[in-house]
């Protein structure tokens, strides 16, 4: 039987429960302005609890303290839902958002920009933190990018686990580094290869047949045969050798060991 994280607060939420029962007679959106719904669902890293509103999924949590964490962050109580939002289970299994809507109200413009950029990273690929900073026009805000990713309210749905250190270390993650590595390996990211290249101070791979330079996990880089593969420490070095940035992984400006 699934534990109800709201069991300790049912008395204080009695009014909300009554409102939920009368929701069909209430103005549209009234309940959504007061509370959120929650469900417990399976995922590749174990059971998760997910809170959602009429606007979309607002919060994904693993482990104990779900209700307390949600209330502390969103200042809203929770009510149990009969079923998850449409498309949520396939999205969690596949790592692709699909048609699942997200409720990201309350985020700053910076946080939203960081998460929307992380959302573009394909399954099985990784990007360094500095790439996010470059893409949002804040190249010096690498540390702030890491903080924003650590505050991602909807991990797995927005794949912040695909942002790693350039030296092959997966880095921090809201559900822990072990869960992050497990997700990346399940998606097909060759983390061992990234670490080997980083050990040789190679952070970009170029093809002398296409004239393009990529991040090592880009699907274009993975097609380069050893005979035509060239490694570079910096993008500037690759550019000086006549290579242009890949239009798929767009490695402009992403430099450094911990970027």
């Amino acid at each position: 039987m699934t534990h109800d994280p709201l069991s300790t607060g049912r008395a204080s939420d009695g009014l909300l429960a009554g409102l939920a029962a009368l929701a069909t007679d209430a103005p549209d959106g009234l309940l959504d302005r007061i509370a959120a719904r929650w469900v417990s669902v399976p995922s590749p890293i174990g059971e998760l609890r997910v809170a959602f509103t009429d606007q979309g999924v607002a919060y994904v949590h693993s482990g104990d303290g779900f209700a307390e964490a949600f209330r502390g962050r969103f200042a809203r109580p929770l009510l149990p839902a009969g079923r998850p939002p449409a498309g949520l289970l396939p999205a969690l299994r596949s790592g692709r958002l699909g048609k699942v809507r997200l409720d990201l109200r309350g985020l700053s413009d910076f946080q939203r920009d960081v998460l929307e950029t992380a959302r573009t990273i394909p399954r099985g690929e990784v990007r360094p933190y500095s790439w996010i900073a470059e893409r949002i026009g804040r190249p010096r805000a690498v540390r702030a990018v890491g903080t924003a990713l650590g505050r991602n309210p909807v991990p797995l749905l927005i794949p912040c686990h695909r942002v790693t250190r350039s030296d092959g270390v997966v880095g921090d993650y809201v559900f822990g580094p072990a869960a992050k590595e497990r997700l990346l390996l399940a998606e097909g990211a060759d983390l061992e290869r990234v670490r080997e290249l980083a050990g040789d101070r190679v952070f970009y791979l170029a093809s002398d047949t296409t004239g393009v330079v990529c991040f090592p996990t880009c699907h274009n880089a993975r097609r380069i045969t050893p005979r035509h593969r060239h490694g570079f420490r910096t993008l500037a070095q690759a550019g000086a050798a006549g290579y242009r940035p890949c239009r798929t992984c767009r490695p402009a400006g992403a430099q450094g060991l911990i970027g």
Side-chain angles (χ1 to χ4, degrees):
M1 181 176 180
T2 301
H3 172 65
D4 183 349
L6 306 178
S7 58
T8 58
R10 289 198 183 282
S12 62
D13 289 344
L15 179 61
L16 282 169
L19 179 59
L22 297 173
T24 54
D25 297 321
D28 291 342
L30 177 59
L31 184 62
D32 179 61
R33 292 197 295 270
I34 300 173
R37 303 280 191 175
W38 76 275
V39 289
S40 182
V41 295
S43 83
I45 55 172
E47 184 180 60
L48 299 175
R49 292 190 173 92
V50 177
F52 59 96
T53 69
D54 290 348
Q55 302 297 313
V57 176
Y59 193 54
V60 176
H61 183 90
S62 175
D64 297 330
F66 165 58
E68 294 79 6
F70 181 84
R71 288 172 186 261
R73 184 164 182 170
F74 297 96
R76 285 186 178 205
L78 287 160
L79 291 170
R83 57 186 176 185
L88 176 62
L89 296 181
L92 291 172
R93 285 195 302 266
S94 68
R96 298 182 177 92
L97 190 61
K99 296 183 179 180
V100 175
R101 295 188 303 153
L102 302 177
D103 183 352
L104 300 180
R105 292 176 294 179
L107 296 183
S108 69
D109 290 343
F110 177 82
Q111 289 173 307
R112 189 181 295 272
D113 288 345
V114 168
L115 295 183
E116 288 295 336
T117 303
R119 185 174 167 177
T120 67
I121 304 172
R123 178 182 172 88
E125 299 186 23
V126 297
R127 302 285 185 271
Y129 292 97
S130 58
W131 178 81
I132 299 277
E134 284 284 347
R135 295 301 308 157
I136 66 173
R138 300 281 298 275
R140 296 184 179 181
V142 176
R143 190 175 298 275
V145 165
T147 299
L149 292 170
R151 293 278 294 167
N152 178 10
V154 287
L156 273 76
L157 298 177
I158 290 182
C160 55
H161 61 278
R162 296 175 191 158
V163 185
T164 66
R165 289 174 35 159
S166 296
D167 59 1
V169 176
V170 295
D172 294 332
Y173 185 51
V174 62
F175 297 153
K180 184 174 186 176
E181 184 153 344
R182 180 178 170 186
L183 285 168
L184 290 172
L185 292 174
E187 292 180 352
D190 191 346
L191 298 180
E192 188 60 35
R193 176 63 172 156
V194 172
R195 294 185 187 111
E196 289 175 358
L197 290 169
D200 292 332
R201 301 183 70 77
V202 170
F203 305 103
Y204 304 94
L205 294 177
S207 167
D208 62 21
T209 58
T210 64
V212 168
V213 59
C214 304
F215 286 118
T217 59
C218 175
H219 71 272
N220 291 322
R222 287 182 287 189
R223 292 202 298 260
I224 306 172
T225 60
R227 178 181 175 184
H228 297 285
R229 183 188 303 136
H230 303 274
F232 294 93
R233 180 175 181 270
T234 70
L235 199 63
Q237 291 174 345
Y243 294 98
R244 64 184 186 279
C246 171
R247 293 183 179 179
T248 301
C249 65
R250 303 162 82 181
Q255 312 268 357
L257 284 175
I258 63 171

